Amino acid sequence: MARARSDSPPLFDIDCKPDFAFEKRAIKEGQWPVAGLDEAGRGPLAGPVVAAAVILNPKRIPKGLDDSKRLTAEQRDLLFDKILASALGVSMASICAEGIDSINILRASLEAMRRAALGLSVQPRLALADGRDIPPGLPCEGRALVKGDQRSQSIAAASIVAKVMRDRMMSGCGQAHVHYGFEAHMGYATPRHRTAIGNHGPIARLHRVSFAPFRLGVEAAECDPDMLIDAPLETHPAATSG
């Protein structure tokens, strides 16, 4: 007899592509539609956290869906268009920097996912959320999947939508605030961004003043990179060679 697939993360990281297994199981159990939930922008020093909810069409799943961090910007943009053209439902929501400062980044991320789920035009029966926490107040049953964007195609689609939307928002901020280079680093704590903060200071309602270096001072943050933010940094393409 085949062993049921566990919801627990694998003991060792395996470089695999997300599939539709969780969704197929839900369909068999009468829990359709299934929405994938994910966010982008937990780690940056500036800008909103953006979440997306996606209900894929089982008959029109775009090829190449994956964790947004494992895709190039060009791949994400192409898949973004395909998701919007084929999905049964797509919704996005964001929490601004001031909101993040007032309730903390974890709660803001979960609230953004909740709002995205509520904004779907198709009522889901089950929501698969990336991470360890189920967003409170969902309009349906929720299920948390660690590394869900690498395991579920619905979550992967949500991660792509959230990432593309947030990058476009931050690129717009770069045009409005030319000294900070947001279009290059998307608000992450790169040397260029930290230098701009030191030279020009934080931007009201855009920088997250509850994060270091704003609480500790730019000099302190420069001396201790581990204290740059309150939550673990996400790897961002602009800050790596890949």
Side-chain angles (χ1 to χ4, degrees):
M1 183 175 68
R3 179 180 297 179
R5 180 170 177 175
S6 173
D7 289 346
S8 301
L11 179 61
F12 302 103
D13 289 338
I14 301 175
D15 186 17
C16 59
K17 299 294 185 182
D19 57 31
F20 209 63
F22 291 103
E23 294 85 344
K24 287 181 178 178
R25 183 191 305 173
I27 292 172
K28 289 183 179 180
E29 295 173 353
Q31 289 184 300
W32 182 258
V34 177
L37 308 179
D38 203 358
E39 50 72 28
R42 284 187 65 170
L45 302 180
V49 60
V50 177
V54 176
I55 300 176
L56 291 173
N57 184 338
K59 298 179 180 180
R60 296 181 61 196
I61 299 175
K63 294 182 179 180
L65 292 177
D66 202 351
D67 174 2
S68 63
K69 296 184 290 295
R70 302 200 297 197
L71 300 170
T72 66
E74 291 75 17
Q75 289 172 325
R76 289 194 296 265
D77 284 339
L78 181 60
L79 284 166
F80 177 88
D81 292 337
K82 290 182 177 180
I83 293 166
L84 264 60
S86 63
L88 299 177
V90 178
S91 175
M92 292 155 272
S94 66
I95 304 292
C96 68
E98 288 180 312
I100 293 168
D101 289 334
S102 66
I103 63 174
N104 77 46
I105 184 59
L106 174 58
R107 290 175 61 190
S109 299
L110 296 175
E111 173 61 14
M113 285 194 278
R114 182 189 75 87
R115 293 182 186 182
L118 287 171
L120 285 166
S121 59
V122 179
Q123 179 74 32
R125 294 285 301 276
L126 175 67
L128 302 176
D130 183 48
R132 298 183 180 276
D133 301 294
I134 299 172
L138 289 173
C140 61
E141 181 181 343
R143 194 176 190 180
L145 294 180
V146 175
K147 294 189 177 180
D149 47 9
Q150 299 178 23
R151 303 166 68 194
S152 159
Q153 288 180 323
S154 296
I155 298 178
S159 78
I160 292 167
V161 172
K163 174 64 174 167
V164 170
M165 287 303 301
R166 187 179 189 279
D167 282 359
R168 292 179 181 181
M169 294 166 73
M170 294 309 296
S171 293
C173 291
Q175 295 176 10
H177 304 282
V178 295
H179 299 299
Y180 291 83
F182 291 120
E183 70 281 0
H185 53 69
M186 306 304 170
Y188 283 78
T190 62
R192 177 181 178 182
H193 189 192
R194 297 200 303 270
T195 298
I197 293 170
N199 291 338
H200 305 287
I203 301 172
R205 297 182 297 279
L206 184 58
H207 279 103
R208 304 172 182 180
V209 296
S210 61
F211 283 31
F214 311 113
R215 288 189 298 103
L216 304 179
V218 174
E219 293 81 5
E222 290 286 358
C223 294
D224 188 358
D226 292 334
M227 295 298 293
L228 279 169
I229 60 172
D230 296 330
L233 276 171
E234 296 177 5
T235 303
H236 188 269
T240 66
S241 60

